[in-house]
Amino acid sequence: MPTRPVLRELGLNTGKKARLRRILFRHGLCNGTAFFLPYDQGLEHGPRDFFANPAASDPRFIVKLALEGGFNGIVTQIGLAEKFYWDYAGEVPLVLKLNGKTDIPADERALSPVNATVEDAVRLGADAVGYTLYVGTPAQEADFEQYRRVREDAHRLGMPLIVWAYPRGAAIEAKGGKDSFYAVDYAARTASELGADVVKVNFPHPEKRAAVPSSYDEEFTTQQAIDAVVRSANRTLVLVSGGAKLGDEAMLEKAHESMDAGATGLIFGRNVWQREHDESLRFVAALREILAKYPGESE
Amino acid sequence: MPTRPVLRELGLNTGKKARLRRILFRHGLCNGTAFFLPYDQGLEHGPRDFFANPAASDPRFIVKLALEGGFNGIVTQIGLAEKFYWDYAGEVPLVLKLNGKTDIPADERALSPVNATVEDAVRLGADAVGYTLYVGTPAQEADFEQYRRVREDAHRLGMPLIVWAYPRGAAIEAKGGKDSFYAVDYAARTASELGADVVKVNFPHPEKRAAVPSSYDEEFTTQQAIDAVVRSANRTLVLVSGGAKLGDEAMLEKAHESMDAGATGLIFGRNVWQREHDESLRFVAALREILAKYPGESE
Amino acid sequence: MPTRPVLRELGLNTGKKARLRRILFRHGLCNGTAFFLPYDQGLEHGPRDFFANPAASDPRFIVKLALEGGFNGIVTQIGLAEKFYWDYAGEVPLVLKLNGKTDIPADERALSPVNATVEDAVRLGADAVGYTLYVGTPAQEADFEQYRRVREDAHRLGMPLIVWAYPRGAAIEAKGGKDSFYAVDYAARTASELGADVVKVNFPHPEKRAAVPSSYDEEFTTQQAIDAVVRSANRTLVLVSGGAKLGDEAMLEKAHESMDAGATGLIFGRNVWQREHDESLRFVAALREILAKYPGESE
Amino acid sequence: MPTRPVLRELGLNTGKKARLRRILFRHGLCNGTAFFLPYDQGLEHGPRDFFANPAASDPRFIVKLALEGGFNGIVTQIGLAEKFYWDYAGEVPLVLKLNGKTDIPADERALSPVNATVEDAVRLGADAVGYTLYVGTPAQEADFEQYRRVREDAHRLGMPLIVWAYPRGAAIEAKGGKDSFYAVDYAARTASELGADVVKVNFPHPEKRAAVPSSYDEEFTTQQAIDAVVRSANRTLVLVSGGAKLGDEAMLEKAHESMDAGATGLIFGRNVWQREHDESLRFVAALREILAKYPGESE
Amino acid sequence: MPTRPVLRELGLNTGKKARLRRILFRHGLCNGTAFFLPYDQGLEHGPRDFFANPAASDPRFIVKLALEGGFNGIVTQIGLAEKFYWDYAGEVPLVLKLNGKTDIPADERALSPVNATVEDAVRLGADAVGYTLYVGTPAQEADFEQYRRVREDAHRLGMPLIVWAYPRGAAIEAKGGKDSFYAVDYAARTASELGADVVKVNFPHPEKRAAVPSSYDEEFTTQQAIDAVVRSANRTLVLVSGGAKLGDEAMLEKAHESMDAGATGLIFGRNVWQREHDESLRFVAALREILAKYPGESE
């Protein structure tokens, strides 16, 4: 059975270690697992994501949910961080997302432009920064370039770097799509090779085999697939994403398999807040029960 | 018979000389030859390269192989260097690969974006940096520009620069392909003219003559071809690459011919670690036996 | 009869004047004429240029030829300058070529990317820098931009700037080709207008009149053509290029006409080193005899 | 019995660890101890230090001594590093001393001005840098300021920082002098508190008690004194200095006590090279015998 | 008998080597010796130095003297270089003196402020730069700091650095004075330790023994003294200065002893130009006769 990497083995500098330890051992379940609440969909998809639960349009609703639900951190773009986090600063860790884009233009040359800096994150008291890297697009030249600067700043300032590793582009679509086992596995590895501290991946779909490289054109269980993805990430901590809202049973099953594979935690947004407040908390409680079964080594 | 260039004749500054001497005379066979273990395929090809030997997905497996096999250095991207090399720092030389890309988009305008700096390499205690230069693509303008900055930093900081000289692009495909004698010879010379200290080339195929310039459209033995390539590189040290995994006899034969031609050494990745651990070491031992026959002048 | 410009009339700053005077009056024939040995064909055409005389693949062969032949300077890219010039530093002037490219991709948007800086040239003790300007290509915007920066640096550091003024691109091909009188004349003038200190031109072919502008669609002797080219260059010193290897008589005739026209000298590469060593020296001696007939005013 | 700190516990970044491991485990006795040969006395005291053994005026004599004697490193100023180390680059580690001064003006406001940078050290392939910090002088404001910049650069570039912690100035003279137990102990702690990786101290003299603070005005053995000094340095590795040439027995006794106290090694200059070559080697062998008794944990 | 260092052993980068070779082997006697004409006394002492020979107030008089006398170079401040050297650019090497001061204030805290940059020297086509370092003054902190920047620029741009190593200040006056053997020897060593390529020293006076350190308080011949000074400079080339005008016999004797000691050459100003033109040339001829007896190894 795979084991989760422990902080002291990761070659982290002191600041990165201090902040990650704070996130993993002083928030949420305080047991080394992580449960993040991402809230950048207003930019990435637009307000349509809030129609299912209009209250979720208000960032205060989300921050309160994070506090009540015992999350290890919330993720926002700079604007919401500036306007809402000051009020809760220090109560729940902030992950400042440094790049983002609308979903209005087509995705074939997807590139997520940087709109905030690691220094902004320091200034706001954030405990990590987030960066979306689109793996496989023709724009990877510009993407790697802006990513490199973020990585350097994050290193210099001791700020953990969480990479949203998202396969994208025509070539990906032609080889099984963005959530195939092949695509997710390659994306996880890319984040690791390029120096992410934490990588957010979508749960892999081994059944999407149309035109994938032959190694992936075999029968794999979802457990085998997520095991491989976590292995590919090696010392980069893995967060598994919820993605679009699905049935609860399916989500809980994914969460179980991810933690079994050695993931460090979950990052669930729409699945959490696209429902009424109390129902959210019930779903959150179910996920926390799972995470509680995977206590990490105290460090 | 061609002779290998010796360090003191290469016009190297003190730092480059110190680091190359350390690699060539204080590691591996300590006889002036070099045997490198490259491990950036997780980025360049994706995790599928590890399916033949899943243990190789773990960078620790590779570093241990480098130590047990007596390699002169390992090559990784920044992420694995940050997370794994600290544990082995100073035991085996690190070559930090400064650029890289996924193989997801098509190769016609191949450009390998820079994702780390020479200063990163210094900070990590690396003994050399690597850069992939795609010779012959329409993107050579951007490639030369980013290469130039790497070359300047490497010079300023006394860091040896190893160029992966890879012919690529439609024009290359139309003139014999990327491993024709013509293409490899031109790539080696390009690296030399542009100031590489060491050049990694693929073994040339003189039989690939379709549409190559007339000078190359003759009968050449592989020995004649590799002799010419090393001559074209002149005072740039040559490393011959293993490429995709082939039969062992063919690889050993290539190694012999390369060293006869005056190459400084070999750089074999998949041929080494796409097999079970003990078998790897047996193959490595056979290659080391060859290198042992080509001791360099003590400097 | 046209007269050659003299240094003191050219408005040169002190460093440019010091270095040009050194080249023209302290090397070669020391009589104000110039004879340069260019050696960047390994990059521009690839190693195939050395097949006629494999010894010429070795830069040491070329530097020795420059010394024995009494040249005023050799021209190389940064890589060969770093690795070979240190050994001969100060014996023969170095012209560092700052840009260059392979001939692998098509020439229709030819642009020669910069791979070294004027500061590199200073650091290497060079006495001039070279820049290839492709006159007439659609890429001239990028070309003029990078040229401008080279010109500024050359001015700031007192480094003479030699422009390889090469007509290129589809529009040139459609109007008489790259060595028509029209094209060469226009290229010489372009270099002069853009601030070159010295311009390297191909010998003009007035007989190539297909589709040239009407002014050039007349009967001109080659002498008239080269006279006009030198006049177009005005206070930019002219070097006439040998180009691909031709018959010796033709070359000597070209040399005579060029010097009669007021050119400052010659720049012959393949015509010189694509032959056996002693034969090279005999040909060089014949060219020097011509140059000796055109002593410049002692300055 | 005190134990020596081990590298993996020191919170070193990768480059510092790589370089220290190289010094401690790949040179000298390769057992985790260190024996350095300092050679900056030509600047610090002037050539009079060479009158006892004129051969020692020649840096080549010293480098050869370092190689024959099996030292872990030599220490020089930038000038000798530039002019002599290139020849031995990579054979013996270089510690580039970044500041220094003549002993001509009086010492009352002693400040050792910086004359080289950490980047110079990187460029020269050095494995550590040295800085003299005068503890207790009225110039400590300027000293701390320039020290801070060195420390920052050393951290950024992964270069181990060795601090020559020298008590100086009128106040020190008034309280027991520069080699009292009080002064040496305070200097060791100062280096540790200010971030030195390694500290060079003089052997403490507990008998110098005139006007020292009361805590030090007790009977202490030299063993107790050096134990305390090493304890004060905690995770800063301690090198004990030889100082002016003394009797051999006294020196060997000091060496024993230092290593018993948990020092990492010795740094002996004049005691070594102010004698004839063979006698130097005999003395060095005696010191190495002592160091051999204190093997460090293999890391 | 001591031997002079040869350029190829000095670890010089290519630009420094090119420029020094040009000075030593292409000017003056072209035999590896050097004879410089310094002309910065108008700043250092004021126009009173020209009263003995008013013609010498005109820089043209001096440049012509340098040309007629066959000097290896002239030394001026930036103002005269700008206004006079352009006319002679390339005829005789220029050493641009980068700092200087008036002799109006007292010398006790002597510091010679920088008034031009290495880049100015490049722009003017100079072949070396000069810097006055006052050894032993209380201002050495500021001196070392500005010197360090000059040294770095000179290295970066490949410009030879000539240090005027002048003992100065109250402490020097108290220990034998500025031209004692002790002071000159220490100054030569300081220049060498701090990275000068060439050092200008005054001829040492071993008879000035009042209060010098005991090593120097012995009977030494002037030959022994200058031998030691050159040895202290090791791979830094030594130029011996003429100083104030003395009797010719004494000067010629000094020149002989200096060259016997392994000095590279002489730097004589007032002794040369504080006399009428023809007499100057006769004296210069006598000095050149001496230098001709010390041909250096052709490099």
Side-chain angles (χ1 to χ4, degrees):
Chain A
M1 184 181 136
T3 53
R4 209 151 67 214
V6 294
L7 294 187
R8 70 169 173 277
E9 291 175 352
L10 306 187
L12 297 164
N13 66 22
T14 307
K16 288 194 175 197
K17 197 174 167 193
R19 290 179 175 95
L20 280 177
R21 197 183 255 166
R22 190 183 298 143
I23 289 172
L24 296 176
F25 290 96
R26 296 208 144 248
H27 288 274
L29 290 162
C30 301
N31 71 344
T33 63
F35 190 20
F36 286 98
L37 188 58
Y39 188 63
D40 62 343
Q41 296 83 356
L43 176 65
E44 295 288 342
H45 312 138
R48 68 179 154 95
D49 273 15
F50 307 130
F51 279 52
N53 175 23
S57 170
D58 182 347
R60 284 173 300 183
F61 175 87
I62 298 295
V63 184
K64 282 176 196 152
L65 196 59
L67 291 170
E68 293 175 62
F71 279 81
N72 296 70
I74 56 168
V75 184
T76 76
Q77 294 283 344
I78 182 79
L80 304 192
E82 294 275 12
K83 295 217 160 37
F84 293 89
Y85 188 63
W86 68 270
D87 213 13
Y88 305 91
E91 294 188 49
V92 60
L94 172 67
V95 178
L96 186 69
K97 192 77 194 324
L98 302 185
N99 64 348
K101 64 172 191 52
T102 69
D103 68 355
I104 301 171
D107 245 11
E108 62 210 11
R109 291 187 57 86
L111 176 67
S112 183
V114 163
N115 56 58
T117 63
V118 180
E119 203 169 315
D120 284 322
V122 169
R123 173 174 61 80
L124 289 161
D127 278 317
V129 291
Y131 182 93
T132 297
L133 185 77
Y134 289 125
V135 176
T137 82
Q140 75 182 349
E141 190 182 332
D143 207 359
F144 279 31
E145 170 70 20
Q146 71 174 4
Y147 166 77
R148 178 175 61 76
R149 270 178 271 133
V150 167
R151 180 188 57 71
E152 287 172 351
D153 289 348
H155 182 272
R156 183 172 51 84
L157 295 165
M159 185 64 72
L161 172 55
I162 306 179
V163 169
W164 272 238
Y166 283 172
R168 281 292 184 288
I172 286 289
E173 287 317 305
K175 298 184 195 174
K178 66 189 181 185
D179 55 1
S180 71
F181 174 20
Y182 161 64
V184 172
D185 199 23
Y186 204 156
R189 185 74 185 195
T190 299
S192 165
E193 298 257 348
L194 297 186
D197 297 308
V198 183
V199 62
K200 180 201 187 206
V201 295
N202 285 311
F203 197 86
H205 287 252
E207 75 282 6
K208 299 201 173 175
R209 289 160 51 180
V212 297
S214 59
S215 318
Y216 293 90
D217 192 8
E218 309 271 342
E219 290 287 332
F220 291 104
T221 64
T222 51
Q223 186 66 59
Q224 286 173 318
I226 186 69
D227 282 358
V229 167
V230 173
R231 208 162 48 229
S232 291
N234 52 73
R235 283 182 172 165
T236 296
L237 307 181
V238 173
L239 299 177
V240 178
S241 158
K245 192 162 173 290
L246 294 177
D248 286 5
E249 280 316 300
M251 297 309 302
L252 297 174
E253 179 57 22
K254 273 188 188 183
H256 254 300
E257 290 187 356
S258 299
M259 297 308 291
D260 271 343
T264 292
L266 307 170
I267 176 161
F268 276 36
R270 284 167 291 170
N271 280 284
V272 166
W273 48 253
Q274 279 184 345
R275 35 182 125 199
E276 180 272 329
H277 177 263
D278 292 354
E279 208 192 322
S280 287
L281 289 181
R282 268 193 299 276
F283 181 57
V284 164
L287 288 163
R288 280 168 61 94
E289 253 176 64
I290 293 170
L291 293 174
K293 291 179 194 148
Y294 297 87
E297 203 175 321
S298 154
E299 317 213 17
Chain B
M1 184 181 136
T3 52
R4 208 152 67 214
V6 293
L7 293 186
R8 69 169 173 277
E9 290 175 352
L10 306 187
L12 297 165
N13 67 20
T14 306
K16 288 193 175 196
K17 194 176 167 194
R19 291 178 175 96
L20 280 177
R21 195 185 256 163
R22 192 183 295 144
I23 290 172
L24 296 177
F25 290 96
R26 294 204 150 249
H27 288 273
L29 290 162
C30 302
N31 71 344
T33 63
F35 190 19
F36 286 99
L37 188 59
Y39 187 62
D40 61 344
Q41 296 83 356
L43 176 63
E44 297 288 340
H45 313 139
R48 68 182 154 94
D49 273 15
F50 308 129
F51 279 52
N53 176 25
S57 171
D58 183 347
R60 283 172 300 185
F61 175 89
I62 298 296
V63 183
K64 281 175 197 154
L65 197 60
L67 291 170
E68 292 174 62
F71 280 80
N72 295 71
I74 55 167
V75 184
T76 77
Q77 295 282 343
I78 182 81
L80 303 191
E82 293 275 13
K83 294 222 158 33
F84 292 89
Y85 187 63
W86 67 271
D87 214 12
Y88 305 91
E91 293 189 46
V92 59
L94 172 68
V95 178
L96 187 68
K97 192 78 195 322
L98 301 185
N99 63 348
K101 63 170 193 55
T102 68
D103 69 354
I104 300 170
D107 245 12
E108 63 212 8
R109 292 187 55 85
L111 175 67
S112 184
V114 163
N115 58 60
T117 62
V118 179
E119 204 173 280
D120 283 320
V122 169
R123 172 174 60 80
L124 288 162
D127 279 317
V129 293
Y131 181 93
T132 296
L133 186 78
Y134 288 125
V135 176
T137 82
Q140 75 181 348
E141 191 181 331
D143 208 359
F144 279 32
E145 170 69 19
Q146 69 174 5
Y147 167 77
R148 178 176 60 76
R149 271 178 271 133
V150 167
R151 181 188 57 71
E152 286 172 353
D153 288 348
H155 182 272
R156 182 173 52 83
L157 294 166
M159 185 65 71
L161 172 54
I162 306 179
V163 169
W164 272 238
Y166 282 172
R168 282 291 184 288
I172 286 289
E173 287 316 306
K175 299 183 195 174
K178 66 190 181 185
D179 54 1
S180 71
F181 174 19
Y182 161 64
V184 172
D185 199 23
Y186 204 156
R189 185 73 185 196
T190 299
S192 165
E193 297 258 349
L194 296 185
D197 298 306
V198 183
V199 62
K200 180 201 187 206
V201 295
N202 285 311
F203 196 89
H205 287 251
E207 76 282 6
K208 300 202 173 174
R209 289 161 52 182
V212 298
S214 59
S215 317
Y216 293 91
D217 192 9
E218 309 271 342
E219 289 287 331
F220 292 104
T221 64
T222 51
Q223 187 66 60
Q224 286 173 318
I226 187 68
D227 281 359
V229 167
V230 173
R231 207 161 50 229
S232 291
N234 51 73
R235 282 183 173 164
T236 297
L237 307 181
V238 174
L239 299 177
V240 178
S241 158
K245 193 162 173 289
L246 295 177
D248 286 4
E249 281 314 301
M251 297 307 304
L252 297 174
E253 179 59 23
K254 274 186 186 185
H256 255 300
E257 292 187 357
S258 299
M259 298 307 293
D260 271 344
T264 292
L266 308 170
I267 177 160
F268 276 37
R270 285 169 288 170
N271 281 282
V272 166
W273 49 254
Q274 279 184 345
R275 35 182 124 200
E276 181 271 330
H277 178 262
D278 292 354
E279 209 193 322
S280 288
L281 289 181
R282 269 192 299 275
F283 181 57
V284 164
L287 288 163
R288 279 168 61 94
E289 253 176 62
I290 294 171
L291 293 174
K293 291 179 194 146
Y294 298 87
E297 204 175 320
S298 155
E299 318 215 15
Chain C
M1 183 181 137
T3 53
R4 208 152 66 215
V6 292
L7 294 186
R8 70 170 173 276
E9 291 173 352
L10 306 186
L12 297 165
N13 68 19
T14 307
K16 288 194 175 198
K17 192 176 169 194
R19 290 179 175 94
L20 280 176
R21 193 184 257 163
R22 192 183 294 144
I23 290 172
L24 297 176
F25 290 95
R26 294 206 149 247
H27 288 272
L29 290 161
C30 302
N31 71 344
T33 63
F35 189 19
F36 286 98
L37 188 58
Y39 187 62
D40 62 344
Q41 296 83 355
L43 175 64
E44 297 288 342
H45 314 139
R48 68 183 155 94
D49 274 16
F50 309 129
F51 279 53
N53 177 24
S57 171
D58 183 347
R60 282 171 301 184
F61 175 89
I62 299 295
V63 183
K64 280 174 198 156
L65 198 60
L67 291 170
E68 292 174 63
F71 280 81
N72 296 71
I74 55 166
V75 184
T76 76
Q77 295 283 342
I78 182 79
L80 303 192
E82 293 275 11
K83 294 220 158 31
F84 291 90
Y85 186 63
W86 67 271
D87 215 12
Y88 305 92
E91 293 189 46
V92 60
L94 171 68
V95 178
L96 186 69
K97 192 76 195 322
L98 301 186
N99 62 350
K101 62 169 193 56
T102 68
D103 69 354
I104 300 171
D107 242 13
E108 62 211 9
R109 292 187 55 85
L111 175 67
S112 184
V114 163
N115 59 59
T117 62
V118 179
E119 204 172 281
D120 283 320
V122 169
R123 172 174 62 80
L124 287 162
D127 279 318
V129 292
Y131 181 93
T132 296
L133 187 78
Y134 288 125
V135 177
T137 82
Q140 76 182 347
E141 192 179 332
D143 206 359
F144 278 31
E145 170 69 19
Q146 70 175 3
Y147 167 77
R148 178 176 58 76
R149 268 176 273 135
V150 167
R151 182 187 53 71
E152 287 171 353
D153 288 347
H155 176 79
R156 180 173 52 85
L157 295 166
M159 185 64 71
L161 172 54
I162 306 178
V163 169
W164 271 237
Y166 282 173
R168 281 291 184 289
I172 287 288
E173 287 317 304
K175 300 185 193 172
K178 65 191 181 182
D179 55 359
S180 71
F181 174 20
Y182 160 65
V184 172
D185 200 24
Y186 204 157
R189 187 69 187 196
T190 300
S192 166
E193 299 257 352
L194 296 186
D197 298 307
V198 183
V199 62
K200 179 201 187 206
V201 295
N202 285 310
F203 198 87
H205 286 251
E207 76 282 7
K208 299 201 173 174
R209 288 160 53 181
V212 298
S214 59
S215 318
Y216 293 89
D217 192 9
E218 309 272 341
E219 289 287 333
F220 291 105
T221 65
T222 52
Q223 186 66 58
Q224 286 172 318
I226 187 68
D227 281 359
V229 167
V230 173
R231 209 160 50 230
S232 293
N234 50 73
R235 283 185 172 165
T236 296
L237 307 180
V238 174
L239 300 177
V240 178
S241 159
K245 192 162 174 289
L246 295 177
D248 287 5
E249 281 315 301
M251 296 308 304
L252 297 174
E253 178 58 22
K254 274 188 188 185
H256 255 301
E257 291 187 358
S258 300
M259 298 307 292
D260 271 345
T264 293
L266 308 170
I267 176 161
F268 276 36
R270 284 168 289 170
N271 282 283
V272 166
W273 48 253
Q274 279 184 343
R275 35 182 123 200
E276 182 271 331
H277 178 261
D278 292 354
E279 209 193 321
S280 288
L281 290 180
R282 269 192 298 275
F283 181 58
V284 164
L287 288 162
R288 280 168 61 93
E289 255 178 60
I290 294 170
L291 294 173
K293 292 179 192 147
Y294 298 87
E297 201 176 322
S298 155
E299 318 214 15
Chain D
M1 184 182 137
T3 54
R4 208 152 69 213
V6 292
L7 294 186
R8 68 169 174 277
E9 292 174 351
L10 306 186
L12 297 164
N13 67 21
T14 307
K16 287 194 174 196
K17 194 175 168 194
R19 291 177 175 95
L20 280 176
R21 195 185 256 164
R22 193 183 292 144
I23 290 172
L24 297 176
F25 290 95
R26 294 204 149 249
H27 288 274
L29 290 162
C30 302
N31 71 344
T33 63
F35 190 18
F36 286 99
L37 188 58
Y39 187 63
D40 62 343
Q41 296 83 356
L43 176 64
E44 297 288 341
H45 314 138
R48 67 181 154 94
D49 273 15
F50 308 128
F51 280 52
N53 176 24
S57 170
D58 183 347
R60 282 172 302 185
F61 175 88
I62 299 295
V63 184
K64 280 174 197 155
L65 198 59
L67 291 171
E68 293 175 62
F71 280 81
N72 296 70
I74 55 167
V75 185
T76 76
Q77 295 282 342
I78 183 78
L80 303 192
E82 293 276 12
K83 293 219 159 33
F84 292 89
Y85 187 62
W86 67 272
D87 215 12
Y88 305 92
E91 292 190 47
V92 60
L94 172 68
V95 178
L96 187 69
K97 191 78 194 321
L98 301 186
N99 63 349
K101 62 170 193 54
T102 68
D103 70 353
I104 300 169
D107 244 10
E108 60 211 10
R109 293 187 53 86
L111 175 66
S112 184
V114 164
N115 59 59
T117 63
V118 180
E119 205 174 280
D120 283 321
V122 169
R123 173 174 61 81
L124 288 163
D127 279 318
V129 292
Y131 182 93
T132 296
L133 186 79
Y134 287 125
V135 176
T137 82
Q140 76 181 348
E141 192 179 332
D143 207 358
F144 280 29
E145 170 69 18
Q146 71 175 3
Y147 167 77
R148 178 176 60 76
R149 269 176 273 134
V150 167
R151 181 188 54 71
E152 286 172 354
D153 288 348
H155 176 77
R156 182 172 52 83
L157 295 166
M159 185 63 74
L161 171 55
I162 305 179
V163 168
W164 272 237
Y166 283 172
R168 280 294 184 286
I172 286 289
E173 287 317 305
K175 299 185 195 172
K178 66 190 181 183
D179 54 1
S180 71
F181 174 21
Y182 160 64
V184 173
D185 200 24
Y186 205 158
R189 185 73 188 192
T190 300
S192 166
E193 300 256 352
L194 297 185
D197 298 307
V198 184
V199 61
K200 181 202 187 205
V201 296
N202 285 311
F203 197 87
H205 286 251
E207 76 281 6
K208 298 202 174 173
R209 289 160 52 181
V212 298
S214 60
S215 317
Y216 293 90
D217 192 9
E218 309 273 340
E219 289 288 331
F220 292 103
T221 64
T222 52
Q223 186 67 60
Q224 286 173 318
I226 187 68
D227 281 358
V229 167
V230 173
R231 210 160 47 231
S232 293
N234 51 73
R235 284 186 171 164
T236 297
L237 307 180
V238 173
L239 300 177
V240 179
S241 159
K245 193 162 174 289
L246 295 178
D248 287 4
E249 280 316 301
M251 296 307 303
L252 296 174
E253 180 58 23
K254 272 188 190 186
H256 255 301
E257 291 187 357
S258 299
M259 297 308 291
D260 271 344
T264 293
L266 308 169
I267 177 161
F268 277 36
R270 285 168 288 172
N271 282 283
V272 165
W273 49 253
Q274 280 185 343
R275 35 182 124 200
E276 180 271 330
H277 178 263
D278 292 353
E279 209 192 321
S280 287
L281 288 181
R282 270 193 297 275
F283 181 56
V284 164
L287 288 163
R288 279 169 61 94
E289 253 176 63
I290 294 171
L291 292 174
K293 291 179 193 147
Y294 298 87
E297 202 176 322
S298 157
E299 317 215 17
Chain E
M1 184 183 136
T3 53
R4 209 153 66 215
V6 292
L7 294 187
R8 69 169 173 277
E9 290 175 353
L10 306 186
L12 298 165
N13 66 21
T14 307
K16 288 194 174 195
K17 194 175 167 194
R19 291 177 174 95
L20 279 176
R21 195 185 256 164
R22 192 184 293 143
I23 290 172
L24 297 176
F25 290 94
R26 294 204 149 250
H27 288 273
L29 290 162
C30 301
N31 71 344
T33 64
F35 190 19
F36 286 98
L37 187 59
Y39 187 63
D40 61 344
Q41 296 82 355
L43 175 66
E44 296 289 342
H45 313 139
R48 67 181 156 95
D49 273 16
F50 308 129
F51 280 52
N53 176 24
S57 171
D58 183 347
R60 283 172 302 184
F61 175 87
I62 298 295
V63 185
K64 281 176 197 151
L65 197 59
L67 290 171
E68 294 175 62
F71 280 81
N72 297 70
I74 56 167
V75 185
T76 77
Q77 294 282 344
I78 183 79
L80 303 192
E82 293 276 13
K83 295 216 161 36
F84 293 89
Y85 186 63
W86 67 271
D87 213 14
Y88 306 90
E91 293 189 47
V92 60
L94 171 68
V95 179
L96 186 69
K97 192 77 194 324
L98 301 186
N99 63 349
K101 62 170 191 56
T102 69
D103 70 353
I104 301 170
D107 244 9
E108 62 210 12
R109 292 187 54 86
L111 175 66
S112 183
V114 163
N115 58 59
T117 64
V118 179
E119 200 169 314
D120 284 322
V122 169
R123 174 174 60 82
L124 288 162
D127 280 317
V129 292
Y131 182 94
T132 296
L133 186 78
Y134 287 125
V135 176
T137 82
Q140 76 183 348
E141 190 182 334
D143 207 358
F144 279 30
E145 169 70 18
Q146 70 175 3
Y147 167 77
R148 177 176 60 77
R149 268 177 274 136
V150 167
R151 181 189 54 72
E152 286 172 353
D153 288 348
H155 181 271
R156 182 172 53 84
L157 294 166
M159 185 64 73
L161 171 54
I162 306 179
V163 169
W164 272 237
Y166 282 171
R168 281 292 185 287
I172 285 289
E173 287 316 305
K175 300 184 194 173
K178 65 189 182 187
D179 55 0
S180 71
F181 174 19
Y182 160 64
V184 173
D185 199 23
Y186 205 156
R189 184 75 186 193
T190 299
S192 165
E193 298 257 348
L194 297 186
D197 298 306
V198 183
V199 61
K200 179 200 187 206
V201 295
N202 285 311
F203 197 88
H205 286 253
E207 75 282 5
K208 300 201 173 173
R209 288 161 51 181
V212 298
S214 60
S215 316
Y216 293 90
D217 192 9
E218 309 272 341
E219 290 287 333
F220 293 103
T221 65
T222 51
Q223 186 66 58
Q224 286 173 317
I226 186 67
D227 281 358
V229 167
V230 173
R231 208 162 48 231
S232 292
N234 51 72
R235 285 184 171 163
T236 296
L237 307 180
V238 174
L239 300 177
V240 178
S241 157
K245 192 161 174 291
L246 295 178
D248 286 2
E249 279 316 300
M251 296 307 303
L252 296 175
E253 179 58 21
K254 273 189 190 185
H256 255 300
E257 291 187 357
S258 299
M259 297 308 291
D260 271 344
T264 293
L266 308 169
I267 176 160
F268 276 37
R270 285 167 290 172
N271 280 284
V272 167
W273 49 253
Q274 280 184 345
R275 35 182 125 198
E276 181 270 330
H277 178 263
D278 292 353
E279 206 192 323
S280 286
L281 288 181
R282 268 192 300 275
F283 180 56
V284 164
L287 287 163
R288 279 169 59 93
E289 252 177 63
I290 294 170
L291 293 174
K293 289 179 195 149
Y294 298 87
E297 201 175 322
S298 156
E299 318 214 16

